[in-house]
Short mmCIF file of all heavy atoms in Angstrom, two decimals:
data_model
loop_
_atom_site.label_atom_id
_atom_site.label_comp_id
_atom_site.label_asym_id
_atom_site.label_seq_id
_atom_site.Cartn_x
_atom_site.Cartn_y
_atom_site.Cartn_z
N MET A 1 -107.93 132.33 -46.89
CA MET A 1 -108.46 131.76 -45.69
C MET A 1 -108.54 130.23 -45.87
O MET A 1 -108.87 129.73 -46.91
CB MET A 1 -109.88 132.34 -45.45
CG MET A 1 -110.62 131.62 -44.36
SD MET A 1 -112.18 132.38 -43.80
CE MET A 1 -113.19 132.23 -45.26
N ARG A 2 -108.24 129.55 -44.76
CA ARG A 2 -108.27 128.11 -44.75
C ARG A 2 -109.65 127.65 -44.30
O ARG A 2 -110.34 128.33 -43.58
CB ARG A 2 -107.21 127.57 -43.81
CG ARG A 2 -105.80 127.90 -44.32
CD ARG A 2 -104.72 127.35 -43.43
NE ARG A 2 -104.71 125.93 -43.33
CZ ARG A 2 -104.19 125.06 -44.20
NH1 ARG A 2 -103.66 125.54 -45.31
NH2 ARG A 2 -104.22 123.78 -44.00
N MET A 3 -110.07 126.46 -44.74
CA MET A 3 -111.34 125.91 -44.36
C MET A 3 -111.31 125.57 -42.86
O MET A 3 -110.45 124.81 -42.41
CB MET A 3 -111.68 124.69 -45.16
CG MET A 3 -113.00 124.05 -44.80
SD MET A 3 -113.38 122.55 -45.75
CE MET A 3 -114.51 123.22 -46.92
N PRO A 4 -112.25 126.12 -42.10
CA PRO A 4 -112.29 125.79 -40.65
C PRO A 4 -112.63 124.31 -40.42
O PRO A 4 -113.34 123.70 -41.22
CB PRO A 4 -113.46 126.67 -40.13
CG PRO A 4 -113.65 127.72 -41.16
CD PRO A 4 -113.22 127.09 -42.48
N ASP A 5 -112.08 123.75 -39.37
CA ASP A 5 -112.28 122.34 -39.05
C ASP A 5 -113.79 122.00 -38.93
O ASP A 5 -114.21 120.97 -39.44
CB ASP A 5 -111.59 121.97 -37.73
CG ASP A 5 -110.09 121.96 -37.86
OD1 ASP A 5 -109.58 121.86 -38.99
OD2 ASP A 5 -109.43 122.05 -36.80
N ARG A 6 -114.54 122.88 -38.31
CA ARG A 6 -115.96 122.59 -38.14
C ARG A 6 -116.66 122.50 -39.50
O ARG A 6 -117.49 121.60 -39.72
CB ARG A 6 -116.62 123.66 -37.29
CG ARG A 6 -118.07 123.36 -37.09
CD ARG A 6 -118.71 124.30 -36.13
NE ARG A 6 -120.12 123.91 -35.98
CZ ARG A 6 -120.96 124.48 -35.19
NH1 ARG A 6 -120.54 125.45 -34.41
NH2 ARG A 6 -122.19 124.07 -35.11
N GLU A 7 -116.36 123.40 -40.40
CA GLU A 7 -116.96 123.36 -41.74
C GLU A 7 -116.50 122.13 -42.51
O GLU A 7 -117.28 121.50 -43.19
CB GLU A 7 -116.64 124.61 -42.53
CG GLU A 7 -117.40 124.59 -43.86
CD GLU A 7 -117.35 125.89 -44.63
OE1 GLU A 7 -116.90 126.91 -44.08
OE2 GLU A 7 -117.80 125.87 -45.79
N TYR A 8 -115.24 121.75 -42.37
CA TYR A 8 -114.73 120.53 -43.02
C TYR A 8 -115.54 119.31 -42.51
O TYR A 8 -116.03 118.52 -43.33
CB TYR A 8 -113.26 120.30 -42.71
CG TYR A 8 -112.77 118.99 -43.27
CD1 TYR A 8 -112.37 118.87 -44.58
CD2 TYR A 8 -112.75 117.86 -42.47
CE1 TYR A 8 -111.97 117.65 -45.09
CE2 TYR A 8 -112.36 116.62 -42.96
CZ TYR A 8 -111.95 116.54 -44.28
OH TYR A 8 -111.55 115.32 -44.78
N ASN A 9 -115.72 119.20 -41.20
CA ASN A 9 -116.45 118.08 -40.63
C ASN A 9 -117.91 118.05 -41.05
O ASN A 9 -118.45 117.02 -41.38
CB ASN A 9 -116.33 118.10 -39.10
CG ASN A 9 -114.94 117.77 -38.64
OD1 ASN A 9 -114.20 117.05 -39.32
ND2 ASN A 9 -114.55 118.34 -37.51
N ASP A 10 -118.53 119.22 -41.07
CA ASP A 10 -119.95 119.32 -41.53
C ASP A 10 -120.07 118.93 -43.01
O ASP A 10 -120.97 118.20 -43.39
CB ASP A 10 -120.47 120.73 -41.32
CG ASP A 10 -120.67 121.08 -39.86
OD1 ASP A 10 -120.66 120.19 -39.00
OD2 ASP A 10 -120.84 122.29 -39.57
N THR A 11 -119.11 119.42 -43.83
CA THR A 11 -119.12 119.09 -45.25
C THR A 11 -118.85 117.63 -45.50
O THR A 11 -119.48 117.02 -46.36
CB THR A 11 -118.13 119.99 -46.01
OG1 THR A 11 -118.41 121.36 -45.72
CG2 THR A 11 -118.17 119.77 -47.50
N MET A 12 -117.96 117.06 -44.73
CA MET A 12 -117.63 115.64 -44.86
C MET A 12 -118.87 114.80 -44.60
O MET A 12 -119.19 113.90 -45.36
CB MET A 12 -116.52 115.25 -43.88
CG MET A 12 -116.13 113.81 -43.92
SD MET A 12 -116.91 112.77 -42.66
CE MET A 12 -116.50 113.55 -41.16
N ARG A 13 -119.63 115.12 -43.53
CA ARG A 13 -120.85 114.36 -43.24
C ARG A 13 -121.88 114.56 -44.35
O ARG A 13 -122.56 113.59 -44.72
CB ARG A 13 -121.40 114.80 -41.88
CG ARG A 13 -120.65 114.20 -40.71
CD ARG A 13 -121.34 114.46 -39.38
NE ARG A 13 -121.24 115.84 -38.94
CZ ARG A 13 -120.21 116.35 -38.30
NH1 ARG A 13 -119.15 115.59 -38.05
NH2 ARG A 13 -120.20 117.61 -37.94
N MET A 14 -121.99 115.77 -44.88
CA MET A 14 -122.93 116.05 -45.95
C MET A 14 -122.59 115.20 -47.19
O MET A 14 -123.46 114.60 -47.79
CB MET A 14 -122.93 117.54 -46.28
CG MET A 14 -123.86 117.89 -47.42
SD MET A 14 -123.87 119.64 -47.83
CE MET A 14 -122.17 119.90 -48.30
N ILE A 15 -121.31 115.17 -47.58
CA ILE A 15 -120.89 114.42 -48.76
C ILE A 15 -121.08 112.93 -48.52
O ILE A 15 -121.52 112.21 -49.42
CB ILE A 15 -119.42 114.76 -49.08
CG1 ILE A 15 -119.33 116.19 -49.64
CG2 ILE A 15 -118.84 113.76 -50.11
CD1 ILE A 15 -117.92 116.71 -49.80
N LYS A 16 -120.76 112.45 -47.35
CA LYS A 16 -120.88 111.04 -47.01
C LYS A 16 -122.33 110.58 -47.18
O LYS A 16 -122.57 109.46 -47.61
CB LYS A 16 -120.40 110.85 -45.59
CG LYS A 16 -120.09 109.47 -45.21
CD LYS A 16 -119.45 109.48 -43.82
CE LYS A 16 -119.32 108.13 -43.25
NZ LYS A 16 -118.73 108.12 -41.95
N ASP A 17 -123.27 111.43 -46.81
CA ASP A 17 -124.71 111.08 -46.87
C ASP A 17 -125.42 111.72 -48.07
O ASP A 17 -126.65 111.89 -48.04
CB ASP A 17 -125.39 111.53 -45.59
CG ASP A 17 -124.81 110.82 -44.36
OD1 ASP A 17 -124.36 109.69 -44.48
OD2 ASP A 17 -124.82 111.46 -43.28
N TRP A 18 -124.69 112.09 -49.10
CA TRP A 18 -125.23 112.89 -50.23
C TRP A 18 -126.37 112.15 -50.93
O TRP A 18 -126.27 110.99 -51.28
CB TRP A 18 -124.13 113.18 -51.26
CG TRP A 18 -124.59 114.16 -52.27
CD1 TRP A 18 -124.98 113.86 -53.54
CD2 TRP A 18 -124.75 115.55 -52.09
NE1 TRP A 18 -125.36 115.02 -54.16
CE2 TRP A 18 -125.20 116.08 -53.30
CE3 TRP A 18 -124.52 116.42 -51.03
CZ2 TRP A 18 -125.48 117.43 -53.50
CZ3 TRP A 18 -124.78 117.78 -51.21
CH2 TRP A 18 -125.25 118.25 -52.43
N ARG A 19 -127.48 112.85 -51.11
CA ARG A 19 -128.65 112.30 -51.79
C ARG A 19 -129.06 113.12 -53.01
O ARG A 19 -130.05 112.79 -53.64
CB ARG A 19 -129.81 112.19 -50.82
CG ARG A 19 -129.50 111.39 -49.59
CD ARG A 19 -130.68 110.56 -49.11
NE ARG A 19 -130.51 109.92 -47.85
CZ ARG A 19 -129.65 108.98 -47.52
NH1 ARG A 19 -128.82 108.54 -48.42
NH2 ARG A 19 -129.63 108.47 -46.33
N GLY A 20 -128.30 114.15 -53.29
CA GLY A 20 -128.61 115.03 -54.42
C GLY A 20 -128.00 114.51 -55.72
O GLY A 20 -127.52 113.37 -55.81
N THR A 21 -127.98 115.42 -56.68
CA THR A 21 -127.42 115.07 -58.01
C THR A 21 -125.93 115.35 -58.04
O THR A 21 -125.37 116.05 -57.15
CB THR A 21 -128.09 115.90 -59.11
OG1 THR A 21 -127.74 117.29 -58.91
CG2 THR A 21 -129.59 115.73 -59.10
N LYS A 22 -125.30 114.85 -59.08
CA LYS A 22 -123.89 115.11 -59.28
C LYS A 22 -123.65 116.61 -59.47
O LYS A 22 -122.69 117.18 -58.95
CB LYS A 22 -123.35 114.36 -60.52
CG LYS A 22 -121.89 114.62 -60.82
CD LYS A 22 -121.41 113.88 -62.04
CE LYS A 22 -119.96 114.22 -62.30
NZ LYS A 22 -119.42 113.53 -63.44
N GLU A 23 -124.54 117.28 -60.20
CA GLU A 23 -124.38 118.71 -60.46
C GLU A 23 -124.48 119.51 -59.18
O GLU A 23 -123.76 120.49 -58.98
CB GLU A 23 -125.44 119.15 -61.46
CG GLU A 23 -125.24 118.64 -62.86
CD GLU A 23 -125.60 117.14 -63.05
OE1 GLU A 23 -126.38 116.59 -62.21
OE2 GLU A 23 -125.12 116.55 -64.03
N GLU A 24 -125.39 119.11 -58.28
CA GLU A 24 -125.50 119.81 -57.00
C GLU A 24 -124.25 119.63 -56.14
O GLU A 24 -123.78 120.55 -55.50
CB GLU A 24 -126.75 119.32 -56.24
CG GLU A 24 -128.02 119.72 -56.90
CD GLU A 24 -129.24 118.98 -56.38
OE1 GLU A 24 -129.11 117.84 -55.87
OE2 GLU A 24 -130.36 119.55 -56.47
N LEU A 25 -123.70 118.40 -56.18
CA LEU A 25 -122.49 118.15 -55.43
C LEU A 25 -121.32 118.93 -56.03
O LEU A 25 -120.49 119.50 -55.30
CB LEU A 25 -122.16 116.66 -55.40
CG LEU A 25 -120.94 116.22 -54.61
CD1 LEU A 25 -121.03 116.69 -53.13
CD2 LEU A 25 -120.73 114.73 -54.68
N GLN A 26 -121.26 119.02 -57.36
CA GLN A 26 -120.21 119.78 -58.00
C GLN A 26 -120.32 121.26 -57.59
O GLN A 26 -119.29 121.91 -57.40
CB GLN A 26 -120.26 119.64 -59.52
CG GLN A 26 -119.11 120.33 -60.23
CD GLN A 26 -117.77 119.68 -59.86
OE1 GLN A 26 -117.58 118.49 -60.04
NE2 GLN A 26 -116.82 120.49 -59.36
N ALA A 27 -121.52 121.77 -57.40
CA ALA A 27 -121.69 123.16 -56.97
C ALA A 27 -121.10 123.36 -55.57
O ALA A 27 -120.52 124.39 -55.28
CB ALA A 27 -123.17 123.55 -56.99
N VAL A 28 -121.26 122.35 -54.71
CA VAL A 28 -120.63 122.40 -53.36
C VAL A 28 -119.11 122.44 -53.52
O VAL A 28 -118.43 123.29 -52.90
CB VAL A 28 -121.07 121.20 -52.49
CG1 VAL A 28 -120.28 121.13 -51.22
CG2 VAL A 28 -122.56 121.25 -52.24
N TYR A 29 -118.54 121.60 -54.36
CA TYR A 29 -117.12 121.58 -54.59
C TYR A 29 -116.63 122.92 -55.15
O TYR A 29 -115.60 123.42 -54.74
CB TYR A 29 -116.75 120.46 -55.59
CG TYR A 29 -116.74 119.05 -54.99
CD1 TYR A 29 -117.59 118.65 -53.98
CD2 TYR A 29 -115.85 118.11 -55.50
CE1 TYR A 29 -117.57 117.36 -53.49
CE2 TYR A 29 -115.83 116.82 -55.02
CZ TYR A 29 -116.68 116.44 -54.00
OH TYR A 29 -116.65 115.17 -53.53
N ASP A 30 -117.36 123.43 -56.11
CA ASP A 30 -117.00 124.72 -56.72
C ASP A 30 -117.02 125.86 -55.70
O ASP A 30 -116.14 126.71 -55.71
CB ASP A 30 -117.93 125.06 -57.88
CG ASP A 30 -117.82 124.12 -59.03
OD1 ASP A 30 -116.84 123.34 -59.12
OD2 ASP A 30 -118.74 124.10 -59.88
N ARG A 31 -117.98 125.85 -54.79
CA ARG A 31 -118.04 126.87 -53.72
C ARG A 31 -116.82 126.78 -52.80
O ARG A 31 -116.23 127.78 -52.46
CB ARG A 31 -119.35 126.71 -52.92
CG ARG A 31 -119.51 127.76 -51.81
CD ARG A 31 -120.70 127.52 -50.96
NE ARG A 31 -120.81 126.17 -50.40
CZ ARG A 31 -120.10 125.72 -49.36
NH1 ARG A 31 -119.23 126.49 -48.76
NH2 ARG A 31 -120.24 124.47 -48.94
N ILE A 32 -116.47 125.56 -52.47
CA ILE A 32 -115.27 125.36 -51.63
C ILE A 32 -114.06 125.88 -52.34
O ILE A 32 -113.22 126.60 -51.76
CB ILE A 32 -115.11 123.88 -51.23
CG1 ILE A 32 -116.24 123.44 -50.30
CG2 ILE A 32 -113.74 123.60 -50.61
CD1 ILE A 32 -116.34 121.93 -50.08
N TYR A 33 -113.94 125.52 -53.61
CA TYR A 33 -112.76 125.97 -54.39
C TYR A 33 -112.66 127.47 -54.47
O TYR A 33 -111.58 128.06 -54.38
CB TYR A 33 -112.81 125.37 -55.81
CG TYR A 33 -111.59 125.70 -56.63
CD1 TYR A 33 -110.39 125.03 -56.40
CD2 TYR A 33 -111.64 126.70 -57.59
CE1 TYR A 33 -109.30 125.36 -57.14
CE2 TYR A 33 -110.52 127.04 -58.34
CZ TYR A 33 -109.34 126.35 -58.10
OH TYR A 33 -108.23 126.68 -58.82
N ALA A 34 -113.78 128.14 -54.59
CA ALA A 34 -113.80 129.61 -54.71
C ALA A 34 -113.54 130.34 -53.40
O ALA A 34 -113.11 131.47 -53.43
CB ALA A 34 -115.15 130.05 -55.27
N ASN A 35 -113.73 129.67 -52.26
CA ASN A 35 -113.68 130.37 -51.00
C ASN A 35 -112.48 130.08 -50.11
O ASN A 35 -112.28 130.81 -49.13
CB ASN A 35 -114.97 130.09 -50.19
CG ASN A 35 -116.16 130.78 -50.79
OD1 ASN A 35 -116.14 131.96 -51.03
ND2 ASN A 35 -117.20 130.02 -51.06
N TYR A 36 -111.71 129.02 -50.41
CA TYR A 36 -110.65 128.66 -49.45
C TYR A 36 -109.32 128.52 -50.16
O TYR A 36 -109.22 127.92 -51.23
CB TYR A 36 -111.03 127.36 -48.74
CG TYR A 36 -112.26 127.52 -47.91
CD1 TYR A 36 -113.47 126.98 -48.27
CD2 TYR A 36 -112.22 128.30 -46.73
CE1 TYR A 36 -114.60 127.14 -47.51
CE2 TYR A 36 -113.38 128.46 -45.97
CZ TYR A 36 -114.54 127.91 -46.38
OH TYR A 36 -115.67 128.09 -45.62
N ASP A 37 -108.28 129.01 -49.50
CA ASP A 37 -106.93 128.89 -50.01
C ASP A 37 -106.44 127.44 -50.06
O ASP A 37 -105.62 127.08 -50.95
CB ASP A 37 -105.96 129.70 -49.15
CG ASP A 37 -106.25 131.16 -49.18
OD1 ASP A 37 -106.83 131.66 -50.17
OD2 ASP A 37 -105.95 131.87 -48.17
N ASP A 38 -106.91 126.60 -49.19
CA ASP A 38 -106.50 125.19 -49.12
C ASP A 38 -107.52 124.29 -49.80
O ASP A 38 -107.57 123.08 -49.53
CB ASP A 38 -106.26 124.76 -47.68
CG ASP A 38 -107.49 124.89 -46.79
OD1 ASP A 38 -108.49 125.55 -47.22
OD2 ASP A 38 -107.48 124.34 -45.67
N ALA A 39 -108.31 124.83 -50.70
CA ALA A 39 -109.38 124.10 -51.34
C ALA A 39 -108.91 122.84 -52.08
O ALA A 39 -109.60 121.81 -51.99
CB ALA A 39 -110.14 125.01 -52.32
N LYS A 40 -107.81 122.88 -52.77
CA LYS A 40 -107.36 121.68 -53.51
C LYS A 40 -107.17 120.51 -52.56
O LYS A 40 -107.61 119.40 -52.83
CB LYS A 40 -106.10 122.00 -54.29
CG LYS A 40 -106.37 122.87 -55.51
CD LYS A 40 -105.11 123.10 -56.31
CE LYS A 40 -105.39 123.98 -57.50
NZ LYS A 40 -104.22 124.14 -58.35
N GLU A 41 -106.48 120.76 -51.45
CA GLU A 41 -106.23 119.71 -50.47
C GLU A 41 -107.54 119.25 -49.86
O GLU A 41 -107.80 118.07 -49.67
CB GLU A 41 -105.31 120.23 -49.34
CG GLU A 41 -105.08 119.25 -48.26
CD GLU A 41 -104.27 119.88 -47.11
OE1 GLU A 41 -103.66 120.91 -47.30
OE2 GLU A 41 -104.30 119.25 -46.04
N MET A 42 -108.42 120.20 -49.49
CA MET A 42 -109.70 119.85 -48.85
C MET A 42 -110.58 119.05 -49.78
O MET A 42 -111.22 118.08 -49.36
CB MET A 42 -110.42 121.09 -48.36
CG MET A 42 -109.73 121.83 -47.24
SD MET A 42 -109.52 120.83 -45.74
CE MET A 42 -107.79 120.45 -45.78
N LEU A 43 -110.68 119.46 -51.04
CA LEU A 43 -111.49 118.74 -52.00
C LEU A 43 -110.99 117.29 -52.21
O LEU A 43 -111.77 116.36 -52.28
CB LEU A 43 -111.57 119.47 -53.32
CG LEU A 43 -112.41 120.75 -53.32
CD1 LEU A 43 -112.25 121.48 -54.63
CD2 LEU A 43 -113.87 120.45 -53.04
N TYR A 44 -109.70 117.13 -52.27
CA TYR A 44 -109.12 115.80 -52.39
C TYR A 44 -109.48 114.96 -51.21
O TYR A 44 -109.91 113.79 -51.38
CB TYR A 44 -107.58 115.91 -52.54
CG TYR A 44 -106.88 114.61 -52.59
CD1 TYR A 44 -106.92 113.86 -53.77
CD2 TYR A 44 -106.23 114.08 -51.49
CE1 TYR A 44 -106.27 112.62 -53.84
CE2 TYR A 44 -105.59 112.86 -51.54
CZ TYR A 44 -105.64 112.14 -52.72
OH TYR A 44 -105.01 110.91 -52.78
N ARG A 45 -109.39 115.50 -50.01
CA ARG A 45 -109.74 114.74 -48.80
C ARG A 45 -111.24 114.46 -48.72
O ARG A 45 -111.65 113.35 -48.39
CB ARG A 45 -109.28 115.53 -47.57
CG ARG A 45 -107.77 115.55 -47.42
CD ARG A 45 -107.30 116.43 -46.34
NE ARG A 45 -107.92 116.16 -45.06
CZ ARG A 45 -107.82 116.97 -43.98
NH1 ARG A 45 -107.12 118.07 -44.06
NH2 ARG A 45 -108.41 116.64 -42.85
N LEU A 46 -112.06 115.48 -49.02
CA LEU A 46 -113.52 115.33 -48.94
C LEU A 46 -114.05 114.34 -49.95
O LEU A 46 -115.00 113.58 -49.67
CB LEU A 46 -114.18 116.67 -49.10
CG LEU A 46 -114.05 117.61 -47.92
CD1 LEU A 46 -114.45 119.06 -48.34
CD2 LEU A 46 -114.89 117.15 -46.73
N ASP A 47 -113.47 114.34 -51.15
CA ASP A 47 -113.99 113.49 -52.20
C ASP A 47 -113.84 111.99 -51.89
O ASP A 47 -114.54 111.17 -52.48
CB ASP A 47 -113.32 113.81 -53.55
CG ASP A 47 -114.03 113.20 -54.72
OD1 ASP A 47 -115.25 113.43 -54.86
OD2 ASP A 47 -113.36 112.50 -55.51
N LYS A 48 -113.00 111.66 -50.96
CA LYS A 48 -112.84 110.25 -50.57
C LYS A 48 -114.11 109.72 -49.88
O LYS A 48 -114.25 108.50 -49.77
CB LYS A 48 -111.63 110.10 -49.63
CG LYS A 48 -110.31 110.35 -50.33
CD LYS A 48 -109.18 110.20 -49.38
CE LYS A 48 -107.87 110.47 -50.10
NZ LYS A 48 -106.72 110.34 -49.22
N TYR A 49 -115.01 110.59 -49.48
CA TYR A 49 -116.21 110.16 -48.78
C TYR A 49 -117.36 109.87 -49.74
O TYR A 49 -118.46 109.49 -49.29
CB TYR A 49 -116.65 111.21 -47.74
CG TYR A 49 -115.64 111.29 -46.64
CD1 TYR A 49 -114.69 112.31 -46.61
CD2 TYR A 49 -115.58 110.33 -45.63
CE1 TYR A 49 -113.74 112.38 -45.61
CE2 TYR A 49 -114.62 110.39 -44.63
CZ TYR A 49 -113.72 111.43 -44.62
OH TYR A 49 -112.77 111.48 -43.64
N GLN A 50 -117.15 109.99 -51.01
CA GLN A 50 -118.16 109.62 -52.00
C GLN A 50 -117.48 108.89 -53.15
O GLN A 50 -116.35 109.21 -53.49
CB GLN A 50 -118.95 110.83 -52.50
CG GLN A 50 -118.22 111.77 -53.45
CD GLN A 50 -118.29 111.31 -54.89
OE1 GLN A 50 -119.21 110.58 -55.32
NE2 GLN A 50 -117.31 111.73 -55.68
N SER A 51 -118.14 107.87 -53.66
CA SER A 51 -117.54 107.10 -54.75
C SER A 51 -118.51 106.91 -55.91
O SER A 51 -118.26 106.15 -56.82
CB SER A 51 -117.08 105.74 -54.24
OG SER A 51 -118.18 105.02 -53.71
N LYS A 52 -119.56 107.66 -55.86
CA LYS A 52 -120.63 107.53 -56.87
C LYS A 52 -120.21 108.15 -58.22
O LYS A 52 -120.56 107.63 -59.28
CB LYS A 52 -121.88 108.23 -56.34
CG LYS A 52 -123.15 107.73 -56.91
CD LYS A 52 -124.31 108.40 -56.15
CE LYS A 52 -125.58 107.71 -56.44
NZ LYS A 52 -126.71 108.31 -55.70
N TRP A 53 -119.50 109.28 -58.14
CA TRP A 53 -119.19 110.02 -59.36
C TRP A 53 -117.71 110.43 -59.38
O TRP A 53 -117.03 110.53 -58.35
CB TRP A 53 -120.01 111.29 -59.46
CG TRP A 53 -121.46 111.09 -59.48
CD1 TRP A 53 -122.21 110.46 -60.45
CD2 TRP A 53 -122.42 111.50 -58.48
NE1 TRP A 53 -123.52 110.47 -60.11
CE2 TRP A 53 -123.69 111.11 -58.93
CE3 TRP A 53 -122.32 112.16 -57.26
CZ2 TRP A 53 -124.86 111.36 -58.19
CZ3 TRP A 53 -123.47 112.42 -56.54
CH2 TRP A 53 -124.70 112.00 -57.00
N THR A 54 -117.21 110.74 -60.56
CA THR A 54 -115.91 111.37 -60.70
C THR A 54 -116.16 112.87 -60.76
O THR A 54 -116.89 113.35 -61.64
CB THR A 54 -115.21 110.89 -62.01
OG1 THR A 54 -115.07 109.49 -61.94
CG2 THR A 54 -113.87 111.58 -62.17
N MET A 55 -115.62 113.58 -59.81
CA MET A 55 -115.89 115.00 -59.68
C MET A 55 -114.68 115.82 -60.14
O MET A 55 -113.56 115.36 -60.16
CB MET A 55 -116.19 115.35 -58.21
CG MET A 55 -117.30 114.54 -57.58
SD MET A 55 -118.88 114.70 -58.42
CE MET A 55 -119.30 116.38 -58.08
N ASN A 56 -114.96 117.08 -60.51
CA ASN A 56 -113.90 118.02 -60.85
C ASN A 56 -113.37 118.60 -59.53
O ASN A 56 -114.06 119.36 -58.86
CB ASN A 56 -114.46 119.15 -61.72
CG ASN A 56 -113.41 120.20 -62.06
OD1 ASN A 56 -112.29 120.13 -61.60
ND2 ASN A 56 -113.82 121.16 -62.85
N LEU A 57 -112.16 118.19 -59.19
CA LEU A 57 -111.53 118.65 -57.93
C LEU A 57 -110.67 119.89 -58.13
O LEU A 57 -110.00 120.32 -57.22
CB LEU A 57 -110.67 117.53 -57.33
CG LEU A 57 -111.40 116.22 -57.02
CD1 LEU A 57 -110.45 115.23 -56.41
CD2 LEU A 57 -112.62 116.44 -56.14
N HIS A 58 -110.70 120.44 -59.31
CA HIS A 58 -109.92 121.65 -59.64
C HIS A 58 -108.42 121.43 -59.38
O HIS A 58 -107.76 122.34 -58.93
CB HIS A 58 -110.45 122.85 -58.85
CG HIS A 58 -111.87 123.16 -59.10
ND1 HIS A 58 -112.28 123.90 -60.19
CD2 HIS A 58 -113.00 122.85 -58.43
CE1 HIS A 58 -113.61 124.00 -60.15
NE2 HIS A 58 -114.06 123.37 -59.11
N GLN A 59 -107.94 120.26 -59.70
CA GLN A 59 -106.54 119.94 -59.45
C GLN A 59 -105.66 120.44 -60.56
O GLN A 59 -105.56 120.40 -61.56
CB GLN A 59 -106.34 118.46 -59.25
CG GLN A 59 -107.04 117.91 -58.06
CD GLN A 59 -106.51 118.42 -56.72
OE1 GLN A 59 -105.32 118.52 -56.53
NE2 GLN A 59 -107.39 118.71 -55.81
#
């Protein structure tokens, strides 16, 4: 299954305004990776909205 546009947009806003820890954000990334066929592409795109940490994008 591909990530729906609405979920991508909601996740993008969440990442852009992230106030949690790196570990909590990584858990979001890990959930995306586990649930979507296009996760590698989506994580690459989503990660551009945060520059605080280097995240595991499962590339």
Side-chain angles (χ1 to χ4, degrees):
M1 169 170 66
R2 296 181 60 80
M3 179 181 258
D5 290 340
R6 182 174 181 176
E7 184 170 351
Y8 175 85
N9 291 329
D10 291 346
T11 305
M12 179 264 305
R13 282 189 287 278
M14 178 180 62
I15 290 171
K16 197 172 170 181
D17 299 329
W18 190 257
R19 303 218 190 292
T21 67
K22 178 181 179 179
E23 291 75 20
E24 292 166 334
L25 183 57
Q26 186 64 56
V28 171
Y29 283 32
D30 294 345
R31 180 185 52 79
I32 292 169
Y33 184 76
N35 289 307
Y36 296 107
D37 297 333
D38 60 347
K40 287 183 181 186
E41 176 186 345
M42 293 299 106
L43 288 172
Y44 177 77
R45 290 172 53 191
L46 288 165
D47 193 53
K48 291 180 181 181
Y49 294 100
Q50 73 85 25
S51 59
K52 205 172 193 180
W53 301 294
T54 301
M55 305 301 293
N56 177 357
L57 302 180
H58 301 279
Q59 297 292 321

